[in-house]
Amino acid sequence: EVSRIAQALDVEVEAFRTRPLEASYRFIYLDAVYLKVSEGGRIRSLATLVALGVNPEGRLEVLGVDVADSEMEAAWKAFLEGLVARGMKGVELAISDAHTGLKAALRKVLNGVTWQRCRVHFMRNAGAKLSKNLQVVWLEKLKCCFASLDQGEALARIRALAKEAEAKHPDFAKFLDEAAGDVTAFMTFPHEQWRRIHSTNV
């Protein structure tokens, strides 16, 4: 009975995963979750690639889900190409973490689309450049940079903070300088969208 139900569910899941994408999705969110699965009597950790999109009515839709061995460029490229083949269009902004394979795949499949570095992941990565006893002070200063009216102001504040940190915390300062443009990309869109598109935490 369990086997029969599982087989019926498999059909429904596959139909959902391969359905045509007929709407335009201005914003898409890309992320991966690692899950442990049993294969051939052993446990493996596999990457579940997930894409969400904001449809013309402003609602979130799950656009695609796929399982891959890892988040290497080839896996993300095949996943994104599958979304495009199913009709995904109208994408202006892709929000994700800074995984190298994902960024490379985005450039190849959705070249010209603006990339927003997830601000939540960015803050974690920034904190990793500091010793624990310094994180609260410097990350609070960094957080304040995003209380800006536009991207130009935010960039100026982040770069000023990097300059302030340069002498004693060079790794942190370099990280801010290199990531500033990507983590403030959302500010080139209308202000009323900012809260929704600055990170993958939707």
Side-chain angles (χ1 to χ4, degrees):
E1 182 66 13
V2 171
S3 227
R4 184 187 64 76
I5 293 171
Q7 286 176 358
L9 286 173
D10 282 346
V11 172
E12 290 186 32
V13 169
E14 188 60 19
F16 176 77
R17 288 180 62 248
T18 58
R19 76 195 188 283
L21 300 174
E22 298 174 344
S24 288
Y25 302 93
R26 188 180 185 189
F27 309 124
I28 62 169
Y29 307 83
L30 301 166
D31 208 348
V33 178
Y34 280 84
L35 301 173
K36 291 183 178 179
V37 299
S38 176
E39 284 187 347
R42 65 190 183 96
I43 303 298
R44 295 182 60 203
S45 182
L46 296 179
T48 302
L49 311 182
V50 181
L52 304 177
V54 179
N55 67 23
E57 289 74 44
R59 292 195 300 272
L60 273 176
E61 286 185 27
V62 177
L63 304 183
V65 179
D66 206 355
V67 177
D69 287 332
S70 68
E71 288 188 79
M72 297 297 285
E73 178 185 340
W76 276 115
K77 185 172 180 286
F79 181 63
L80 291 170
E81 286 174 342
L83 295 176
V84 172
R86 287 168 49 213
M88 184 179 74
K89 59 184 179 292
V91 180
E92 296 179 35
L93 183 71
I95 304 108
S96 75
D97 65 16
H99 192 282
T100 305
L102 174 50
K103 287 168 60 182
L106 275 169
R107 284 193 299 271
K108 289 184 178 177
V109 182
L110 297 176
N111 190 35
V113 169
T114 300
W115 175 59
Q116 165 63 33
R117 181 174 188 153
C118 172
R119 201 168 92 189
V120 173
H121 286 88
F122 165 79
M123 293 296 287
R124 288 179 195 150
N125 298 151
K129 304 293 181 183
L130 298 162
S131 59
K132 289 208 171 183
N133 62 316
L134 294 171
Q135 287 178 3
V136 173
V137 172
W138 284 97
L139 292 184
E140 188 58 36
K141 289 182 179 182
L142 180 54
K143 184 179 177 182
C144 290
C145 295
F146 293 102
S148 300
L149 296 176
D150 55 44
Q151 187 185 31
E153 182 186 346
L155 286 173
R157 293 174 72 173
I158 292 172
R159 285 171 180 151
L161 184 61
K163 190 71 176 173
E164 181 186 346
E166 191 173 21
K168 292 187 177 180
H169 314 294
D171 290 345
F172 178 68
K174 183 182 178 185
F175 176 77
L176 297 190
D177 272 331
E178 292 177 348
D182 295 326
V183 78
T184 58
F186 72 97
M187 292 181 167
T188 62
F189 289 83
H191 192 279
E192 60 269 19
Q193 300 285 357
W194 286 9
R195 189 172 183 180
R196 144 170 265 179
I197 62 176
H198 75 266
S199 80
T200 54
N201 288 17
V202 291

